[in-house]
Amino acid sequence: MSTQPDLLYSEEEEALRAAVRDLLADHCDAPGVIARTESDAPHDLAAWKALADGMGLAGLLVPEAKGGQGATHREVAVVLEELGRAVAPVPYLTSAVVATEALLACEADELLAELASGRRIGALAVALNVAPGGAYKVVRHEGGALHGELTAIADAVAADVLLIPADDGGLYAVEASAVTVTPQISFDLTRPLATVTLDAAPGRLLGDAEAAVHRALRAGAGLLASEQLGLADWTLTETVRYLKERKQFNRPVGGFQALKHRLAQLWLEVVNLRAAARNAADALTTGEDADVAVAVAQAYAASVAVHAAEEALQLHAGIGMTWEHPIHLYLKRAKSDSIAYGTAGTHRARLAELVDLQAP
């Protein structure tokens, strides 16, 4: 018997949101994030330490018996909403969700505990654009070592350990010090990509790569929708606030009917995205129709997040076009997220398969 999904936030989830928002207000203010993107160190490791070590958020998905907090995807979704609102340059989605889910599939308890504590950062060495169930590149396993090159690996520059899929079907843990990580030019400066080159790198076999990668990418895609929701919600809220203050012809710009219509339309889209994102988080928690819920959320989320950021840029007018205003960070993150873990078109095609609809 199927149960109705719970799309509402619990009191505990709202308390978690408030705590994370307060922490990010201290660590990830807009000028600080912009300054970091212009430096050689795009990740805010102080904010990561506060989130992971101080609040224990890196281990939310890890059972208490394995050194984690024993929470669910619902709590992780709330954290990601807040990280999206701040475009926080921390490897939370890549380490605490994607790499952690891969390790949970492999029962790699020792490494799992290290990631859960936040002492180490992990990254799954699969290109950021690969959708759940999609084809991904593997490296050669030969003579007990790994050889090859993998590109577009998100947050690899911050990782201490990389989870590498090999041609023998195994997933291997490889120390970052044993590989060459070369930063790539990334559109989203707050989630940098890199090329990972392995030249006879030693690796420790964790388990079956295919099952681990699929589980990791499904959770990544489903929870990415919550990050996109946070991003869209911030841009809408900030745009409404700005249009109430900005005056033209001696009246607030927000009073013009045409702009009210645009904002009302955007509000409807954001509300619908919240329902889709919460449904995906709830389905990942219960395991009920998770593939369908993730495909629905990702089929919808990209266009809303990009639209919200584009409207914010336009409606802020001249100031929105400046480097000093953070809107460009939100637009770049929204565009980057729109192809992360599969495009909306890929997820629509997947959804059609799952519910037996013929593709056009």
Side-chain angles (χ1 to χ4, degrees), residues 36-345:
R36 200 165 280 286
T37 64
E38 297 171 330
S39 72
D40 294 332
H43 290 99
D44 189 338
L45 295 180
W48 169 253
K49 186 170 168 49
L51 285 164
D53 191 21
M55 293 182 70
L57 300 183
L60 286 181
L61 290 176
V62 180
E64 289 184 47
K66 296 183 179 181
Q69 304 298 321
T72 71
H73 297 85
R74 292 174 59 90
E75 288 81 10
V76 174
V78 170
V79 175
L80 280 166
E81 281 183 38
E82 292 307 309
L83 294 176
R85 286 181 65 89
V87 283
V90 293
Y92 191 84
L93 182 64
T94 44
S95 184
V97 177
V98 177
T100 295
E101 286 275 359
L103 292 175
L104 284 167
C106 295
E107 300 287 328
D109 291 2
E110 185 185 338
L111 192 49
L112 200 55
E114 290 177 346
L115 260 60
S117 69
R119 289 194 304 272
R120 304 188 82 198
I121 294 169
L124 178 66
V126 171
L128 184 61
N129 64 312
V130 176
Y136 53 89
K137 195 175 173 187
V138 296
V139 298
R140 199 170 79 257
H141 184 258
E142 190 179 289
L146 301 168
H147 311 258
E149 185 177 273
L150 301 164
T151 56
I153 310 302
D155 292 337
V157 290
D160 301 299
V161 61
L162 294 152
L163 310 182
I164 311 272
D167 58 3
D168 63 353
L171 186 69
Y172 290 83
V174 178
E175 294 298 315
S177 57
V179 303
T180 304
V181 178
T182 311
Q184 292 177 248
I185 295 173
S186 309
F187 187 63
D188 176 9
L189 301 171
T190 60
R191 181 173 287 145
L193 306 178
T195 297
V196 176
T197 307
L198 301 97
D199 184 10
R204 181 160 54 89
L205 181 63
L206 298 171
D208 174 42
E210 191 172 342
V213 169
H214 183 268
R215 173 172 172 168
L217 296 185
R218 185 177 76 166
L223 292 170
L224 177 68
S226 291
E227 178 185 289
Q228 290 164 302
L229 166 62
L231 189 156
D233 192 51
W234 183 91
T235 49
L236 173 62
T237 303
E238 278 301 299
T239 304
V240 170
R241 184 185 65 76
Y242 177 75
L243 293 183
K244 283 180 177 177
E245 294 174 357
R246 176 87 168 88
K247 290 192 174 174
Q248 208 167 35
F249 307 116
N250 213 26
R251 57 182 285 196
V253 174
F256 291 101
Q257 192 74 7
L259 299 191
K260 286 182 180 178
H261 280 265
R262 284 168 70 171
L263 292 169
Q265 175 60 36
L266 197 53
W267 181 81
L268 279 174
E269 291 178 19
V270 173
V271 168
N272 288 337
L273 173 53
R274 176 169 279 111
R278 291 302 292 165
N279 184 46
D282 189 69
L284 286 166
T285 298
T286 62
E288 193 156 320
D289 286 337
D291 288 336
V292 171
V294 168
V296 167
Q298 274 307 316
Y300 187 69
S303 61
V304 176
V306 171
H307 184 214
E310 287 175 344
E311 288 287 74
L313 186 70
Q314 282 194 12
L315 296 176
H316 273 78
I319 192 174
M321 302 289 176
T322 64
W323 188 259
E324 288 73 22
H325 199 286
I327 285 180
H328 64 94
L329 295 176
Y330 289 84
L331 181 57
K332 289 168 187 168
R333 174 66 71 88
K335 291 293 279 187
S336 175
D337 282 357
S338 71
I339 60 168
Y341 307 117
T343 62

